[in-house]
Amino acid sequence: MIGDLRAETVRIEGANGDEIEAYLALPADDGPRGSVVVIHHLPGYDAATKEITRKFAALGFAAICPNLYSREAPGADPDDAAAVARANGGVPDERFVGDAAGAVTYLRGLPDSNGKVGTIGYCSGGRQSFLAALSIDVDAAVDCYGAFVVGTPPDGFPLRVGPLVDRTPELRAPLLGMFGNDDKYPSPEHVDELEKALTEAGKTFEFHRYDGAGHAFFATDRPSYRPEAAVDGWQKIAAFFRTHLGE
């Protein structure tokens, strides 16, 4: 069911006790309900990511998107903040984990929370969703074409991060992966490697791969948008979270 919602900017406690900005969207009706941490892509805490956050609320979940660039460029336009973050090589993994943990704590503290929280991220956020599920007690995680869970960035790439695939045995939650077969980061070979690691580690996971889709096929404001893949992907994401988080 798609319902009414309300949304607002809030402040939450992130890594090292820092106060950071976040965008919160809630269904208008009373709970109890599961919750979702939406992890923004490298372009930042932008209108498109806030729209995704509201969509989860419309689907019946509490949802929050922490602004991972709050420290670099507080109050800045998303493009300017993203430029600063790119110049710094992205968000350090340890700091991200602290911010994500703060978002999870905030959601579990809401009056209508059923205690179950999942994570979802796109692009760099897909990798960070996987990282969250390695590091934080969450109930489900979705990786939408997360680059460099497998492999390392090429020279000149704006992210300076390392692969996570060797940590696959640490995964704490069921994982849903959404990938385009025309993508380069992650490539189909990268996805194969991650699938093999998850299988060998005995983890619960579900991967979906789409022909004719490349990176950012969910992004409605980009030429990369692929409606058929995105619509099917949203249906699978909603079903996955309803299974593991409840409605």
Side-chain angles (χ1 to χ4, degrees):
M1 293 289 293
I2 299 294
D4 294 334
L5 60 92
R6 58 187 187 274
E8 62 181 325
T9 299
V10 297
R11 309 293 294 185
I12 67 172
E13 184 175 314
N16 304 313
D18 296 341
E19 185 180 78
I20 64 171
E21 182 181 0
Y23 186 72
L24 176 70
L26 301 171
D29 60 321
D30 295 331
R33 61 174 63 91
S35 305
V36 178
V37 177
V38 178
I39 305 165
H40 63 68
H41 53 177
L42 190 60
Y45 177 75
D46 56 9
T49 307
K50 291 179 180 179
E51 182 178 352
I52 289 169
T53 307
R54 291 192 298 271
K55 182 161 185 171
F56 280 111
L59 289 169
F61 302 96
I64 196 166
C65 177
N67 182 357
L68 302 178
Y69 303 158
S70 286
R71 300 166 187 79
E72 283 82 359
D77 176 271
D79 289 341
D80 294 337
V84 174
R86 281 189 173 96
N88 292 338
V91 174
D93 282 353
E94 183 177 357
R95 195 184 83 186
F96 162 74
V97 169
D99 287 353
V104 169
T105 297
Y106 185 94
L107 289 172
R108 286 192 172 130
L110 293 173
D112 291 332
S113 171
N114 67 5
K116 295 182 179 180
V117 181
T119 63
I120 186 169
Y122 303 79
C123 186
S124 62
R127 177 186 179 276
Q128 288 167 326
S129 183
F130 187 86
L131 175 60
L134 298 175
S135 311
I136 305 168
D137 286 326
V138 295
D139 299 281
V142 181
D143 169 6
C144 296
Y145 37 79
F148 312 119
V149 174
V150 176
T152 55
D155 290 343
F157 203 84
L159 281 179
R160 292 193 293 272
V161 295
L164 300 171
V165 65
D166 290 345
R167 295 181 57 190
T168 297
E170 302 172 35
L171 192 70
R172 305 185 188 190
L175 177 72
L176 174 66
M178 314 298 287
F179 307 102
N181 284 332
D182 293 344
D183 205 342
K184 293 183 179 179
Y185 302 109
S187 67
E189 292 76 21
H190 291 147
V191 178
D192 289 344
E193 184 176 339
L194 180 56
E195 186 172 37
K196 181 173 183 288
L198 289 161
T199 300
E200 291 177 348
K203 299 301 179 180
T204 300
F205 74 98
E206 176 185 337
F207 278 6
H208 298 281
R209 311 179 191 219
Y210 295 94
D211 291 332
H215 203 68
F217 64 80
F218 280 105
T220 58
D221 57 346
R222 294 184 177 193
S224 57
Y225 180 52
R226 295 295 180 270
E228 289 186 7
V231 169
D232 184 76
W234 268 110
Q235 291 172 345
K236 288 179 167 59
I237 290 165
F240 179 78
F241 277 150
R242 285 178 177 138
T243 296
H244 295 289
L245 306 181
E247 294 194 53

